[in-house]
Amino acid sequence: MTKGNSAKARRQPSVLIIGAGMTGICLAIKLREAGISDLLMIEKGSSVGGTWRENTYPGVACDIPSHAYTYSFAQNPDWSSLLAGGAEIHAYFKSVFEQYQLDNCTRLNEKVLSSVYQEGRWHVQTDQGNHHTVDLLFAASGMLHQPVTPELPGRAEFSGAQFHSAQWNHEVELEGKRIAVVGTGSSATQLIPKLINTPGTRVTVFQRTPQWVVKVENEAYSAEEQQQFRNQPDKARKLARQILWVYDKTTTALTGQRLWHRLMRLSMAWNARRYLNQAVKNPELKRKLTPDYAIGCKRVVLASGFYEALQQDNAELITDSISAIEDNGIRTSTGEFHEIDVIVYATGFNPVAYMRPMKFLGQDGLDIESVWKDKVQAYRSVLLPGFPNFFLMIGPNSPIGNYSIISIAEAQTAYAMQLVEAWRDGRLDKIDVSAAATQEWNQKLRAKLKDTVWATGGCNSWYLDADGDPLSWPDSWQNFLRSIESPKWDDFVGANAGSAESSANA
Ligand code: NAP
């Protein structure tokens, strides 16, 4: 790092953001507020909003209360209920996008194919034949955007409609159909009750592992309450703080083995079991729905109608594994055959794709595929050594249990902005973190992660990488914030220890 020179003009960067979802919109707003006008946001989809554009399955909703699933700088007094539905959340992101007039820096229906760092700049190629050369590059493509459909034997032989929950085929008529749902995660538990309640359906749910389900009633806000949120914005902020406090405490309870961690987990498990005991009377069904691993090991499901719907006459829960898909149905390991017209795969996402499959080359041709061959990791989630002036938003170890991803994106944006400012005024020639600092950071993380419930809870989940190391944050929200409150300048390549401000966030 070189010392700032007040006589030197501040550099005005050209910036490209990949993805116009929740994080891309946040970044674009904050970059513009910092006076950066040479800005382009490229989005592969036909509208902004990322996850909330892609996921249109029946019942799609957020399991984080709406007032805490809102940008801190763009409150929304009009949320219709405690847990807003997907279409409403999508509309919210579109309205913020419009309010900040981001359309003049955004290109839709354009996919980034490659990003290559050469001679101090990023060269970005898109599928529309466009080539952009920029100083700073942000990947805001999200974490769970590549749906995974299992390669079940005979899948191609199935003659009916089949699709992933995140690629819902709205052309397919569901009324009167025999529908199979594979999976019982957060997506499945939201869509299953809707399918069961669709007239004339018969729904067969194929569960591999039971979930911990906590009951949450989705109460509507009255017009009067919405008016209060409008007139008193502090009321909505206070509510958001209270919700996030609860999410922080319950998530932090998953990160350690101290007495209070275990007591909190016991209390969460007791709450979930009480819902199961109250909602399900049939002992055989209850047994099938009872998890045998620690609560929180998989993302806890918040639901209100899942158990109830499963007990309707037109629903069936199958726990035998699927051995094959045939022309007109699904056969299980016991040889039993289920005639099916439509298969829905609610089978989750690849959590380590990030900005891939695009070609991504850093300094001296460094290829992300070889860097991440053995381990997908980053420095403080957002930086990759050898990939200067590049920010990976919501990167490895960003998710904080069930905590609001919007708060995480805002915190990472604020961290990135400090580095951008250091680059602009010459305190950093380039934003590049050292390999040694990255290694040290990950060693510390892994030491802490081994005590978390994701590593010790006895389950398999998308939180775990191929080595069984959790991809989540192993500590409280407060410590996450502290870790990126201000850059630890000594960790950056070319840092001048004499002039570097040291920070206490090691
Ligand atoms: P998921 O949590 O990964 O669940 C996938 C489900 O599919 C699991 O039940 C899994 O079983 C099952 N499965 C996968 N492969 C299978 C196979 N070959 N055979 C049988 N079953 C198979 O995926 P998701 O439900 O889409 O949720 C992913 C994440 O998206 C969530 O954790 C959450 O972060 C986010 N999400 C959030 C909300 C929200 O309300 N905020 C809503 C939806 C999704 P196993 O458990 O045995 O692996």
mmCIF file of all heavy atoms in Angstrom, residues 52 55 57 60-64 69 144 148 150-152 164-165 182-190 206-211 298-299 322 346-349 460-463, ligand 1:
data_model
loop_
_atom_site.group_PDB
_atom_site.id
_atom_site.type_symbol
_atom_site.label_atom_id
_atom_site.label_comp_id
_atom_site.label_asym_id
_atom_site.label_seq_id
_atom_site.Cartn_x
_atom_site.Cartn_y
_atom_site.Cartn_z
ATOM 1 N N TRP A 52 -35.459 -14.319 -6.845
ATOM 2 C CA TRP A 52 -36.909 -14.070 -6.783
ATOM 3 C C TRP A 52 -37.519 -13.943 -8.162
ATOM 4 O O TRP A 52 -38.732 -13.942 -8.311
ATOM 5 C CB TRP A 52 -37.189 -12.854 -5.892
ATOM 6 C CG TRP A 52 -36.600 -13.097 -4.547
ATOM 7 C CD1 TRP A 52 -35.445 -12.567 -4.043
ATOM 8 C CD2 TRP A 52 -37.071 -14.034 -3.558
ATOM 9 N NE1 TRP A 52 -35.175 -13.103 -2.803
ATOM 10 C CE2 TRP A 52 -36.166 -14.002 -2.484
ATOM 11 C CE3 TRP A 52 -38.178 -14.892 -3.470
ATOM 12 C CZ2 TRP A 52 -36.316 -14.788 -1.333
ATOM 13 C CZ3 TRP A 52 -38.335 -15.676 -2.340
ATOM 14 C CH2 TRP A 52 -37.411 -15.615 -1.290
ATOM 15 N N ASN A 55 -37.188 -18.277 -8.951
ATOM 16 C CA ASN A 55 -38.038 -19.209 -8.195
ATOM 17 C C ASN A 55 -39.495 -18.744 -8.217
ATOM 18 O O ASN A 55 -39.857 -17.801 -7.519
ATOM 19 C CB ASN A 55 -37.538 -19.329 -6.756
ATOM 20 C CG ASN A 55 -36.302 -20.196 -6.679
ATOM 21 O OD1 ASN A 55 -36.374 -21.429 -6.618
ATOM 22 N ND2 ASN A 55 -35.144 -19.551 -6.729
ATOM 23 N N TYR A 57 -42.051 -21.185 -8.069
ATOM 24 C CA TYR A 57 -42.863 -22.364 -7.731
ATOM 25 C C TYR A 57 -44.038 -21.964 -6.834
ATOM 26 O O TYR A 57 -43.964 -20.943 -6.126
ATOM 27 C CB TYR A 57 -41.991 -23.443 -7.072
ATOM 28 C CG TYR A 57 -41.265 -23.043 -5.813
ATOM 29 C CD1 TYR A 57 -41.902 -23.000 -4.575
ATOM 30 C CD2 TYR A 57 -39.915 -22.736 -5.838
ATOM 31 C CE1 TYR A 57 -41.238 -22.653 -3.416
ATOM 32 C CE2 TYR A 57 -39.229 -22.383 -4.676
ATOM 33 C CZ TYR A 57 -39.895 -22.346 -3.469
ATOM 34 O OH TYR A 57 -39.240 -21.996 -2.323
ATOM 35 N N VAL A 60 -43.822 -20.136 -3.196
ATOM 36 C CA VAL A 60 -42.478 -19.585 -2.933
ATOM 37 C C VAL A 60 -42.603 -18.350 -2.037
ATOM 38 O O VAL A 60 -43.430 -17.472 -2.278
ATOM 39 C CB VAL A 60 -41.714 -19.268 -4.245
ATOM 40 C CG1 VAL A 60 -42.458 -18.290 -5.132
ATOM 41 C CG2 VAL A 60 -40.313 -18.737 -3.913
ATOM 42 N N ALA A 61 -41.811 -18.347 -0.995
ATOM 43 C CA ALA A 61 -41.862 -17.256 -0.020
ATOM 44 C C ALA A 61 -40.515 -17.189 0.676
ATOM 45 O O ALA A 61 -39.666 -18.069 0.491
ATOM 46 C CB ALA A 61 -42.962 -17.513 1.010
ATOM 47 N N CYS A 62 -40.343 -16.159 1.478
ATOM 48 C CA CYS A 62 -39.106 -16.042 2.240
ATOM 49 C C CYS A 62 -39.392 -16.463 3.677
ATOM 50 O O CYS A 62 -40.422 -16.098 4.240
ATOM 51 C CB CYS A 62 -38.611 -14.605 2.202
ATOM 52 S SG CYS A 62 -37.003 -14.447 2.966
ATOM 53 N N ASP A 63 -38.464 -17.229 4.255
ATOM 54 C CA ASP A 63 -38.690 -17.650 5.639
ATOM 55 C C ASP A 63 -38.045 -16.681 6.634
ATOM 56 O O ASP A 63 -37.920 -16.991 7.811
ATOM 57 C CB ASP A 63 -38.233 -19.095 5.863
ATOM 58 C CG ASP A 63 -36.760 -19.297 5.570
ATOM 59 O OD1 ASP A 63 -36.061 -18.285 5.346
ATOM 60 O OD2 ASP A 63 -36.305 -20.453 5.582
ATOM 61 N N ILE A 64 -37.644 -15.516 6.123
ATOM 62 C CA ILE A 64 -37.156 -14.465 7.027
ATOM 63 C C ILE A 64 -38.208 -13.351 6.987
ATOM 64 O O ILE A 64 -38.601 -12.924 5.886
ATOM 65 C CB ILE A 64 -35.793 -13.935 6.563
ATOM 66 C CG1 ILE A 64 -34.777 -15.069 6.667
ATOM 67 C CG2 ILE A 64 -35.352 -12.721 7.379
ATOM 68 C CD1 ILE A 64 -33.521 -14.831 5.945
ATOM 69 N N TYR A 69 -36.019 -8.615 5.814
ATOM 70 C CA TYR A 69 -35.545 -9.011 4.486
ATOM 71 C C TYR A 69 -35.774 -7.820 3.551
ATOM 72 O O TYR A 69 -36.530 -7.870 2.579
ATOM 73 C CB TYR A 69 -36.289 -10.262 4.006
ATOM 74 C CG TYR A 69 -35.590 -10.974 2.865
ATOM 75 C CD1 TYR A 69 -34.528 -11.839 3.106
ATOM 76 C CD2 TYR A 69 -35.962 -10.759 1.542
ATOM 77 C CE1 TYR A 69 -33.871 -12.478 2.070
ATOM 78 C CE2 TYR A 69 -35.309 -11.397 0.499
ATOM 79 C CZ TYR A 69 -34.266 -12.244 0.777
ATOM 80 O OH TYR A 69 -33.602 -12.877 -0.255
ATOM 81 N N LEU A 144 -26.884 -19.672 -4.667
ATOM 82 C CA LEU A 144 -27.710 -20.830 -5.019
ATOM 83 C C LEU A 144 -28.471 -20.530 -6.308
ATOM 84 O O LEU A 144 -29.662 -20.268 -6.290
ATOM 85 C CB LEU A 144 -28.665 -21.161 -3.874
ATOM 86 C CG LEU A 144 -28.002 -21.502 -2.535
ATOM 87 C CD1 LEU A 144 -29.049 -21.701 -1.439
ATOM 88 C CD2 LEU A 144 -27.109 -22.719 -2.631
ATOM 89 N N VAL A 148 -29.727 -28.231 -9.161
ATOM 90 C CA VAL A 148 -29.191 -29.585 -9.346
ATOM 91 C C VAL A 148 -30.355 -30.565 -9.452
ATOM 92 O O VAL A 148 -31.181 -30.661 -8.545
ATOM 93 C CB VAL A 148 -28.282 -29.991 -8.161
ATOM 94 C CG1 VAL A 148 -27.889 -31.460 -8.279
ATOM 95 C CG2 VAL A 148 -27.032 -29.116 -8.109
ATOM 96 N N PRO A 150 -31.009 -34.528 -9.801
ATOM 97 C CA PRO A 150 -30.225 -35.767 -9.691
ATOM 98 C C PRO A 150 -30.355 -36.653 -10.925
ATOM 99 O O PRO A 150 -31.417 -36.719 -11.537
ATOM 100 C CB PRO A 150 -30.816 -36.452 -8.453
ATOM 101 C CG PRO A 150 -32.118 -35.809 -8.199
ATOM 102 C CD PRO A 150 -32.097 -34.448 -8.823
ATOM 103 N N GLU A 151 -29.251 -37.312 -11.228
ATOM 104 C CA GLU A 151 -29.225 -38.222 -12.389
ATOM 105 C C GLU A 151 -29.824 -39.569 -11.984
ATOM 106 O O GLU A 151 -29.131 -40.569 -11.902
ATOM 107 C CB GLU A 151 -27.783 -38.402 -12.879
ATOM 108 C CG GLU A 151 -27.188 -37.188 -13.545
ATOM 109 C CD GLU A 151 -27.942 -36.749 -14.802
ATOM 110 O OE1 GLU A 151 -28.620 -37.593 -15.423
ATOM 111 O OE2 GLU A 151 -27.881 -35.559 -15.116
ATOM 112 N N LEU A 152 -31.111 -39.590 -11.713
ATOM 113 C CA LEU A 152 -31.742 -40.846 -11.303
ATOM 114 C C LEU A 152 -31.848 -41.771 -12.518
ATOM 115 O O LEU A 152 -32.143 -41.296 -13.628
ATOM 116 C CB LEU A 152 -33.132 -40.561 -10.717
ATOM 117 C CG LEU A 152 -33.103 -39.737 -9.420
ATOM 118 C CD1 LEU A 152 -34.493 -39.208 -9.089
ATOM 119 C CD2 LEU A 152 -32.560 -40.567 -8.266
ATOM 120 N N HIS A 164 -37.279 -28.857 -12.353
ATOM 121 C CA HIS A 164 -36.732 -28.474 -11.038
ATOM 122 C C HIS A 164 -37.594 -27.365 -10.434
ATOM 123 O O HIS A 164 -38.178 -26.558 -11.176
ATOM 124 C CB HIS A 164 -35.289 -27.990 -11.221
ATOM 125 C CG HIS A 164 -34.537 -27.800 -9.940
ATOM 126 N ND1 HIS A 164 -34.651 -26.659 -9.173
ATOM 127 C CD2 HIS A 164 -33.677 -28.617 -9.288
ATOM 128 C CE1 HIS A 164 -33.887 -26.786 -8.098
ATOM 129 N NE2 HIS A 164 -33.277 -27.955 -8.137
ATOM 130 N N SER A 165 -37.623 -27.315 -9.113
ATOM 131 C CA SER A 165 -38.449 -26.292 -8.447
ATOM 132 C C SER A 165 -38.053 -24.870 -8.863
ATOM 133 O O SER A 165 -38.897 -23.976 -8.893
ATOM 134 C CB SER A 165 -38.345 -26.439 -6.919
ATOM 135 O OG SER A 165 -37.002 -26.318 -6.500
ATOM 136 N N VAL A 182 -39.649 -34.751 -5.349
ATOM 137 C CA VAL A 182 -38.429 -35.355 -4.822
ATOM 138 C C VAL A 182 -37.746 -34.307 -3.954
ATOM 139 O O VAL A 182 -37.401 -33.222 -4.428
ATOM 140 C CB VAL A 182 -37.483 -35.807 -5.962
ATOM 141 C CG1 VAL A 182 -36.252 -36.505 -5.385
ATOM 142 C CG2 VAL A 182 -38.219 -36.710 -6.940
ATOM 143 N N GLY A 183 -37.555 -34.614 -2.660
ATOM 144 C CA GLY A 183 -36.909 -33.673 -1.750
ATOM 145 C C GLY A 183 -37.892 -33.091 -0.754
ATOM 146 O O GLY A 183 -39.103 -32.990 -1.035
ATOM 147 N N THR A 184 -37.355 -32.755 0.412
ATOM 148 C CA THR A 184 -38.188 -32.139 1.466
ATOM 149 C C THR A 184 -37.437 -30.988 2.136
ATOM 150 O O THR A 184 -37.511 -30.799 3.339
ATOM 151 C CB THR A 184 -38.597 -33.184 2.529
ATOM 152 O OG1 THR A 184 -37.433 -33.901 2.939
ATOM 153 C CG2 THR A 184 -39.648 -34.143 2.025
ATOM 154 N N GLY A 185 -36.684 -30.202 1.340
ATOM 155 C CA GLY A 185 -35.964 -29.046 1.880
ATOM 156 C C GLY A 185 -36.868 -27.821 1.966
ATOM 157 O O GLY A 185 -38.105 -27.936 1.910
ATOM 158 N N SER A 186 -36.241 -26.641 2.071
ATOM 159 C CA SER A 186 -37.013 -25.396 2.227
ATOM 160 C C SER A 186 -37.961 -25.175 1.050
ATOM 161 O O SER A 186 -39.104 -24.748 1.241
ATOM 162 C CB SER A 186 -36.065 -24.194 2.329
ATOM 163 O OG SER A 186 -35.213 -24.339 3.404
ATOM 164 N N SER A 187 -37.490 -25.441 -0.171
ATOM 165 C CA SER A 187 -38.356 -25.224 -1.346
ATOM 166 C C SER A 187 -39.511 -26.218 -1.326
ATOM 167 O O SER A 187 -40.675 -25.837 -1.500
ATOM 168 C CB SER A 187 -37.557 -25.394 -2.648
ATOM 169 O OG SER A 187 -36.472 -24.510 -2.686
ATOM 170 N N ALA A 188 -39.183 -27.502 -1.120
ATOM 171 C CA ALA A 188 -40.216 -28.542 -1.161
ATOM 172 C C ALA A 188 -41.299 -28.296 -0.113
ATOM 173 O O ALA A 188 -42.499 -28.428 -0.397
ATOM 174 C CB ALA A 188 -39.578 -29.911 -0.944
ATOM 175 N N THR A 189 -40.892 -27.925 1.092
ATOM 176 C CA THR A 189 -41.886 -27.781 2.161
ATOM 177 C C THR A 189 -42.821 -26.588 1.896
ATOM 178 O O THR A 189 -43.910 -26.535 2.456
ATOM 179 C CB THR A 189 -41.206 -27.624 3.539
ATOM 180 O OG1 THR A 189 -40.151 -26.679 3.419
ATOM 181 C CG2 THR A 189 -40.648 -28.935 4.031
ATOM 182 N N GLN A 190 -42.371 -25.663 1.050
ATOM 183 C CA GLN A 190 -43.274 -24.567 0.675
ATOM 184 C C GLN A 190 -44.221 -24.978 -0.447
ATOM 185 O O GLN A 190 -45.390 -24.599 -0.467
ATOM 186 C CB GLN A 190 -42.462 -23.337 0.236
ATOM 187 C CG GLN A 190 -41.726 -22.665 1.393
ATOM 188 C CD GLN A 190 -40.893 -21.464 0.968
ATOM 189 O OE1 GLN A 190 -40.598 -21.280 -0.210
ATOM 190 N NE2 GLN A 190 -40.497 -20.649 1.931
ATOM 191 N N PHE A 206 -41.226 -37.866 -2.026
ATOM 192 C CA PHE A 206 -40.100 -38.779 -1.810
ATOM 193 C C PHE A 206 -39.087 -38.079 -0.900
ATOM 194 O O PHE A 206 -38.400 -37.151 -1.318
ATOM 195 C CB PHE A 206 -39.482 -39.175 -3.149
ATOM 196 C CG PHE A 206 -40.390 -40.055 -3.963
ATOM 197 C CD1 PHE A 206 -41.354 -39.498 -4.803
ATOM 198 C CD2 PHE A 206 -40.319 -41.433 -3.853
ATOM 199 C CE1 PHE A 206 -42.222 -40.312 -5.530
ATOM 200 C CE2 PHE A 206 -41.178 -42.255 -4.567
ATOM 201 C CZ PHE A 206 -42.138 -41.691 -5.407
ATOM 202 N N GLN A 207 -39.061 -38.538 0.340
ATOM 203 C CA GLN A 207 -38.176 -37.912 1.340
ATOM 204 C C GLN A 207 -36.951 -38.807 1.576
ATOM 205 O O GLN A 207 -37.083 -39.994 1.846
ATOM 206 C CB GLN A 207 -38.940 -37.752 2.653
ATOM 207 C CG GLN A 207 -38.065 -37.305 3.824
ATOM 208 C CD GLN A 207 -38.809 -37.376 5.153
ATOM 209 O OE1 GLN A 207 -39.544 -36.463 5.500
ATOM 210 N NE2 GLN A 207 -38.624 -38.468 5.881
ATOM 211 N N ARG A 208 -35.763 -38.198 1.476
ATOM 212 C CA ARG A 208 -34.555 -38.971 1.767
ATOM 213 C C ARG A 208 -34.176 -38.800 3.233
ATOM 214 O O ARG A 208 -33.797 -39.748 3.900
ATOM 215 C CB ARG A 208 -33.424 -38.498 0.847
ATOM 216 C CG ARG A 208 -32.255 -39.418 0.825
ATOM 217 C CD ARG A 208 -31.331 -39.155 -0.338
ATOM 218 N NE ARG A 208 -30.723 -37.827 -0.315
ATOM 219 C CZ ARG A 208 -29.856 -37.404 -1.203
ATOM 220 N NH1 ARG A 208 -29.485 -38.186 -2.201
ATOM 221 N NH2 ARG A 208 -29.353 -36.191 -1.123
ATOM 222 N N THR A 209 -34.307 -37.557 3.719
ATOM 223 C CA THR A 209 -33.953 -37.269 5.110
ATOM 224 C C THR A 209 -35.023 -36.361 5.703
ATOM 225 O O THR A 209 -35.386 -35.356 5.088
ATOM 226 C CB THR A 209 -32.600 -36.513 5.177
ATOM 227 O OG1 THR A 209 -31.679 -37.134 4.279
ATOM 228 C CG2 THR A 209 -32.029 -36.488 6.576
ATOM 229 N N PRO A 210 -35.544 -36.705 6.887
ATOM 230 C CA PRO A 210 -36.545 -35.788 7.479
ATOM 231 C C PRO A 210 -35.910 -34.464 7.912
ATOM 232 O O PRO A 210 -34.715 -34.408 8.174
ATOM 233 C CB PRO A 210 -37.059 -36.565 8.694
ATOM 234 C CG PRO A 210 -36.126 -37.686 8.922
ATOM 235 C CD PRO A 210 -35.280 -37.882 7.709
ATOM 236 N N GLN A 211 -36.753 -33.450 7.979
ATOM 237 C CA GLN A 211 -36.283 -32.100 8.329
ATOM 238 C C GLN A 211 -36.705 -31.730 9.739
ATOM 239 O O GLN A 211 -37.730 -32.204 10.222
ATOM 240 C CB GLN A 211 -36.930 -31.078 7.390
ATOM 241 C CG GLN A 211 -36.559 -31.220 5.946
ATOM 242 C CD GLN A 211 -35.187 -30.684 5.636
ATOM 243 O OE1 GLN A 211 -34.617 -29.913 6.403
ATOM 244 N NE2 GLN A 211 -34.632 -31.102 4.518
ATOM 245 N N LYS A 298 -28.940 -29.156 9.059
ATOM 246 C CA LYS A 298 -29.474 -28.688 7.781
ATOM 247 C C LYS A 298 -30.195 -27.384 8.087
ATOM 248 O O LYS A 298 -30.595 -27.174 9.231
ATOM 249 C CB LYS A 298 -30.514 -29.662 7.218
ATOM 250 C CG LYS A 298 -29.956 -30.963 6.692
ATOM 251 C CD LYS A 298 -31.132 -31.846 6.285
ATOM 252 C CE LYS A 298 -30.648 -33.200 5.835
ATOM 253 N NZ LYS A 298 -29.997 -33.210 4.532
ATOM 254 N N ARG A 299 -30.419 -26.577 7.059
ATOM 255 C CA ARG A 299 -31.148 -25.329 7.310
ATOM 256 C C ARG A 299 -32.524 -25.671 7.906
ATOM 257 O O ARG A 299 -33.272 -26.477 7.335
ATOM 258 C CB ARG A 299 -31.327 -24.558 6.007
ATOM 259 C CG ARG A 299 -31.940 -23.190 6.212
ATOM 260 C CD ARG A 299 -32.159 -22.524 4.865
ATOM 261 N NE ARG A 299 -33.050 -21.401 4.987
ATOM 262 C CZ ARG A 299 -32.672 -20.124 4.968
ATOM 263 N NH1 ARG A 299 -31.408 -19.828 4.839
ATOM 264 N NH2 ARG A 299 -33.548 -19.162 5.082
ATOM 265 N N ILE A 322 -35.401 -43.945 -4.168
ATOM 266 C CA ILE A 322 -35.844 -44.112 -5.561
ATOM 267 C C ILE A 322 -34.812 -44.986 -6.260
ATOM 268 O O ILE A 322 -33.621 -44.673 -6.249
ATOM 269 C CB ILE A 322 -35.936 -42.733 -6.260
ATOM 270 C CG1 ILE A 322 -37.013 -41.877 -5.575
ATOM 271 C CG2 ILE A 322 -36.182 -42.883 -7.748
ATOM 272 C CD1 ILE A 322 -37.070 -40.442 -6.041
ATOM 273 N N ALA A 346 -37.305 -30.947 -6.180
ATOM 274 C CA ALA A 346 -36.989 -29.847 -5.251
ATOM 275 C C ALA A 346 -35.676 -30.224 -4.567
ATOM 276 O O ALA A 346 -35.600 -30.364 -3.348
ATOM 277 C CB ALA A 346 -38.115 -29.663 -4.247
ATOM 278 N N THR A 347 -34.676 -30.428 -5.402
ATOM 279 C CA THR A 347 -33.451 -31.095 -4.956
ATOM 280 C C THR A 347 -32.267 -30.151 -4.780
ATOM 281 O O THR A 347 -31.120 -30.606 -4.703
ATOM 282 C CB THR A 347 -33.101 -32.220 -5.951
ATOM 283 O OG1 THR A 347 -33.314 -31.743 -7.295
ATOM 284 C CG2 THR A 347 -33.966 -33.439 -5.736
ATOM 285 N N GLY A 348 -32.538 -28.854 -4.719
ATOM 286 C CA GLY A 348 -31.489 -27.920 -4.309
ATOM 287 C C GLY A 348 -30.563 -27.462 -5.421
ATOM 288 O O GLY A 348 -30.867 -27.593 -6.613
ATOM 289 N N PHE A 349 -29.446 -26.907 -4.973
ATOM 290 C CA PHE A 349 -28.556 -26.165 -5.877
ATOM 291 C C PHE A 349 -27.096 -26.556 -5.640
ATOM 292 O O PHE A 349 -26.763 -27.092 -4.584
ATOM 293 C CB PHE A 349 -28.700 -24.654 -5.612
ATOM 294 C CG PHE A 349 -30.107 -24.167 -5.779
ATOM 295 C CD1 PHE A 349 -31.036 -24.275 -4.737
ATOM 296 C CD2 PHE A 349 -30.532 -23.622 -6.984
ATOM 297 C CE1 PHE A 349 -32.344 -23.847 -4.886
ATOM 298 C CE2 PHE A 349 -31.839 -23.198 -7.141
ATOM 299 C CZ PHE A 349 -32.745 -23.302 -6.092
ATOM 300 N N ASN A 460 -25.964 -34.601 6.285
ATOM 301 C CA ASN A 460 -25.356 -34.104 5.057
ATOM 302 C C ASN A 460 -26.186 -32.897 4.624
ATOM 303 O O ASN A 460 -27.398 -32.909 4.768
ATOM 304 C CB ASN A 460 -25.413 -35.209 3.990
ATOM 305 C CG ASN A 460 -24.553 -34.847 2.796
ATOM 306 O OD1 ASN A 460 -23.757 -33.913 2.862
ATOM 307 N ND2 ASN A 460 -24.721 -35.571 1.710
ATOM 308 N N SER A 461 -25.540 -31.863 4.121
ATOM 309 C CA SER A 461 -26.325 -30.700 3.702
ATOM 310 C C SER A 461 -25.530 -29.893 2.693
ATOM 311 O O SER A 461 -24.330 -30.109 2.514
ATOM 312 C CB SER A 461 -26.639 -29.803 4.904
ATOM 313 O OG SER A 461 -25.501 -29.019 5.225
ATOM 314 N N TRP A 462 -26.225 -28.929 2.061
ATOM 315 C CA TRP A 462 -25.515 -28.107 1.085
ATOM 316 C C TRP A 462 -24.538 -27.149 1.770
ATOM 317 O O TRP A 462 -23.726 -26.524 1.098
ATOM 318 C CB TRP A 462 -26.488 -27.358 0.170
ATOM 319 C CG TRP A 462 -27.330 -26.270 0.814
ATOM 320 C CD1 TRP A 462 -28.618 -26.366 1.211
ATOM 321 C CD2 TRP A 462 -26.929 -24.922 1.093
ATOM 322 N NE1 TRP A 462 -29.053 -25.176 1.737
ATOM 323 C CE2 TRP A 462 -28.029 -24.272 1.666
ATOM 324 C CE3 TRP A 462 -25.742 -24.190 0.916
ATOM 325 C CZ2 TRP A 462 -27.996 -22.934 2.072
ATOM 326 C CZ3 TRP A 462 -25.704 -22.858 1.318
ATOM 327 C CH2 TRP A 462 -26.830 -22.244 1.885
ATOM 328 N N TYR A 463 -24.588 -27.057 3.101
ATOM 329 C CA TYR A 463 -23.626 -26.216 3.819
ATOM 330 C C TYR A 463 -22.206 -26.810 3.751
ATOM 331 O O TYR A 463 -21.241 -26.136 4.056
ATOM 332 C CB TYR A 463 -23.995 -26.123 5.304
ATOM 333 C CG TYR A 463 -25.198 -25.261 5.627
ATOM 334 C CD1 TYR A 463 -26.180 -25.728 6.490
ATOM 335 C CD2 TYR A 463 -25.333 -23.978 5.119
ATOM 336 C CE1 TYR A 463 -27.278 -24.942 6.830
ATOM 337 C CE2 TYR A 463 -26.424 -23.188 5.460
ATOM 338 C CZ TYR A 463 -27.398 -23.675 6.312
ATOM 339 O OH TYR A 463 -28.468 -22.893 6.645
HETATM 340 P P1 NAP B 1 -32.125 -28.266 -0.234
HETATM 341 O O1 NAP B 1 -32.325 -27.650 1.073
HETATM 342 O O2 NAP B 1 -30.743 -28.586 -0.665
HETATM 343 O O3 NAP B 1 -33.031 -29.567 -0.251
HETATM 344 C C1 NAP B 1 -32.922 -30.495 -1.278
HETATM 345 C C2 NAP B 1 -33.816 -31.662 -0.959
HETATM 346 O O4 NAP B 1 -33.722 -32.591 -2.032
HETATM 347 C C3 NAP B 1 -33.405 -32.410 0.297
HETATM 348 O O5 NAP B 1 -34.538 -32.888 0.930
HETATM 349 C C4 NAP B 1 -32.559 -33.550 -0.266
HETATM 350 O O6 NAP B 1 -32.490 -34.675 0.564
HETATM 351 C C5 NAP B 1 -33.341 -33.864 -1.520
HETATM 352 N N1 NAP B 1 -32.536 -34.541 -2.512
HETATM 353 C C6 NAP B 1 -31.461 -34.064 -3.170
HETATM 354 N N2 NAP B 1 -31.002 -34.977 -4.030
HETATM 355 C C7 NAP B 1 -31.807 -36.054 -3.898
HETATM 356 C C8 NAP B 1 -31.837 -37.332 -4.502
HETATM 357 N N3 NAP B 1 -30.925 -37.677 -5.410
HETATM 358 N N4 NAP B 1 -32.795 -38.201 -4.110
HETATM 359 C C9 NAP B 1 -33.698 -37.842 -3.187
HETATM 360 N N5 NAP B 1 -33.727 -36.659 -2.577
HETATM 361 C C10 NAP B 1 -32.788 -35.787 -2.935
HETATM 362 O O7 NAP B 1 -32.739 -27.385 -1.429
HETATM 363 P P2 NAP B 1 -33.889 -26.282 -1.362
HETATM 364 O O8 NAP B 1 -35.056 -26.789 -0.623
HETATM 365 O O9 NAP B 1 -34.106 -25.788 -2.741
HETATM 366 O O10 NAP B 1 -33.260 -25.163 -0.486
HETATM 367 C C11 NAP B 1 -31.932 -24.713 -0.721
HETATM 368 C C12 NAP B 1 -31.709 -23.441 0.011
HETATM 369 O O11 NAP B 1 -32.368 -22.405 -0.691
HETATM 370 C C13 NAP B 1 -32.263 -23.360 1.416
HETATM 371 O O12 NAP B 1 -31.488 -23.980 2.386
HETATM 372 C C14 NAP B 1 -32.336 -21.882 1.586
HETATM 373 O O13 NAP B 1 -31.069 -21.345 1.884
HETATM 374 C C15 NAP B 1 -32.779 -21.443 0.206
HETATM 375 N N6 NAP B 1 -34.246 -21.320 0.210
HETATM 376 C C16 NAP B 1 -34.752 -20.411 1.038
HETATM 377 C C17 NAP B 1 -36.098 -20.259 1.100
HETATM 378 C C18 NAP B 1 -36.606 -19.220 2.023
HETATM 379 O O14 NAP B 1 -37.722 -19.290 2.423
HETATM 380 N N7 NAP B 1 -35.773 -18.226 2.408
HETATM 381 C C19 NAP B 1 -36.952 -21.036 0.337
HETATM 382 C C20 NAP B 1 -36.412 -21.967 -0.507
HETATM 383 C C21 NAP B 1 -35.045 -22.105 -0.557
HETATM 384 P P3 NAP B 1 -31.358 -34.799 1.705
HETATM 385 O O15 NAP B 1 -31.814 -33.894 2.800
HETATM 386 O O16 NAP B 1 -31.333 -36.221 2.039
HETATM 387 O O17 NAP B 1 -30.085 -34.327 1.074
#
